[in-house]
Amino acid sequence: NRTLVLAHRQELLSQAKQKIEAAYPGLKVCIEQGKNFADHDSDVIIGSVASLGRRDTLRLSRFDPNNFKLVVIDECHHAPAETYVRTLDFLGARDPTSHIKVLGCSATLQRHDGIGLNNVFEEIVFECSLTDLWAQEFLCPLRAFKIKTNVDLSNVGTNKLTGDYVLEQLANTIDTPVRNRLVVEAWLKFANDRKSTMVFCSNVKHVEHMAQAFLEAGVDARVVHGGTKAEERAYLVNQFKERKFPVMINCGVFTEGTDIPCIDCLLMSRPTRSQVLFQQMVGRG
């Protein structure tokens, strides 16, 4: 009667534990990741797919597949990856005769590489679009402002795999002092009453330069990127959630699965051709 929840990032593991415990306070929920090992009497195990599904690991052998009834995969568009398949196959969950049900959840089922999800899932049992969620008032409506920056993107190449801009070329084109100041000026004009703004940039240098532009304008802005240490990242996220500073700037960190309900403004300072990425960024608000 145990449930395994699979996810691929620290924030998703922590969020899943927090939400499940809040909804079902009588259940014992444990995280299986790195140095953390779930108790054998756990009702729900929140598992890092990187820890459980790593090639040649013995970690899965700690568990008896017969004790599980359900596997939930968060951000399930990642499910065709070897780490997920290896974990599911250990449990026998992909066997049509298995007693284990596999449920996947994602806001963006499309994959950049075009690989389908049919090697893991049999059918889509429920779907609801952003427009449907807006219409049903599950999501707040958006007020959007388009700012003309006079930056020419015609010479920025397209990544053949993702269909998006080549990131280095994009960063070199848009990360200029003039454009960064213009972005900050637009925020001051249209959104200076916002308490929690999430800014999306193209790369680490762009993040740092954008933060400097905000600071020069007298706005307290903090940064998070792939090089930010886990402890500092967690601290900054908690401070942001408590509205201790108004602007959080990132690149490639808060695009997928991030749950920060206080966000009341999104600043897309990086253009994208990717519908998936755009939807992920918009979804943070």
Side-chain angles (χ1 to χ4, degrees):
N1 292 324
R2 307 174 84 185
T3 295
L4 173 64
V5 179
L6 291 175
H8 69 293
R9 289 174 52 184
Q10 176 62 56
E11 286 85 0
L12 298 179
L13 300 173
S14 301
Q15 286 172 187
K17 186 176 189 297
Q18 179 185 10
K19 300 298 183 183
I20 293 172
E21 287 178 333
Y24 302 98
L27 296 182
K28 184 173 185 178
V29 184
C30 293
I31 290 179
E32 178 84 16
Q33 178 203 31
K35 296 179 180 179
N36 297 315
F37 293 87
D39 295 338
H40 282 286
D41 61 346
S42 303
D43 298 300
V44 180
I45 297 173
I46 314 293
S48 163
V49 70
S51 295
L52 291 174
R54 190 176 68 250
R55 189 183 299 276
D56 299 327
T57 183
L58 299 177
R59 197 145 189 165
L60 282 170
S61 63
R62 297 179 59 239
F63 304 106
D64 182 353
N66 292 317
N67 291 335
F68 290 88
K69 63 178 180 180
L70 175 66
V71 177
V72 179
I73 303 178
D74 196 7
E75 303 296 342
C76 70
H77 50 281
H78 294 294
E82 286 186 9
T83 47
Y84 290 86
V85 171
R86 196 174 294 122
T87 302
L88 293 173
D89 285 350
F90 170 82
L91 298 173
R94 292 202 303 159
D95 187 328
T97 65
S98 174
H99 68 282
I100 299 175
K101 292 187 181 298
V102 180
L103 173 68
C105 303
S106 176
T108 50
L109 288 178
Q110 306 95 330
R111 288 175 56 93
H112 296 308
D113 55 14
I115 294 177
L117 307 182
N118 57 341
N119 68 330
V120 175
F121 303 103
E122 294 175 301
E123 61 178 321
I124 298 175
V125 295
F126 177 80
E127 61 180 324
C128 193
S129 69
L130 275 177
T131 52
D132 291 333
L133 292 169
W134 280 320
Q136 297 171 31
E137 298 185 351
F138 285 105
L139 298 178
C140 61
L142 295 178
R143 287 190 301 145
F145 299 90
K146 183 178 180 180
I147 310 302
K148 187 173 179 60
T149 64
N150 295 316
V151 170
D152 183 8
L153 300 179
S154 61
N155 292 321
V156 178
T158 301
N159 184 305
K160 293 181 180 179
L161 177 62
T162 66
D164 202 356
Y165 293 110
V166 175
L167 200 55
E168 184 178 357
Q169 295 179 22
L170 177 65
N172 291 337
T173 302
I174 66 174
D175 183 16
T176 68
V178 172
R179 186 181 186 276
N180 292 340
R181 283 196 299 269
L182 182 59
V183 170
V184 174
E185 289 169 3
W187 183 86
L188 290 169
K189 180 178 179 180
F190 295 108
N192 67 350
D193 62 334
R194 302 289 89 183
K195 304 298 184 183
S196 303
T197 296
M198 179 67 73
V199 184
F200 296 96
C201 292
S202 54
N203 64 5
V204 174
K205 287 185 178 180
H206 189 198
V207 166
E208 294 171 346
H209 295 159
M210 185 60 68
Q212 187 61 36
F214 270 101
L215 293 173
E216 289 174 355
V219 180
D220 188 0
R222 314 292 177 88
V223 305
V224 171
H225 50 69
T228 306
K229 292 183 179 179
E231 297 82 3
E232 181 182 1
R233 180 163 149 181
Y235 172 77
L236 288 171
V237 169
N238 287 332
Q239 291 284 292
F240 186 61
K241 286 181 176 180
E242 295 176 5
R243 294 189 158 171
K244 297 296 180 64
F245 58 91
V247 177
M248 175 80 89
I249 307 174
N250 86 105
C251 63
V253 175
F254 299 122
T255 53
E256 189 177 57
T258 301
D259 183 21
I260 305 179
C262 70
I263 293 174
D264 57 4
C265 180
L266 301 167
L267 207 166
M268 313 291 202
S269 98
R270 63 142 299 168
T272 179
R273 292 180 179 273
S274 167
Q275 180 181 352
V276 171
L277 178 57
F278 186 79
Q279 188 170 329
Q280 287 173 337
M281 291 189 291
V282 169
R284 297 319 103 208

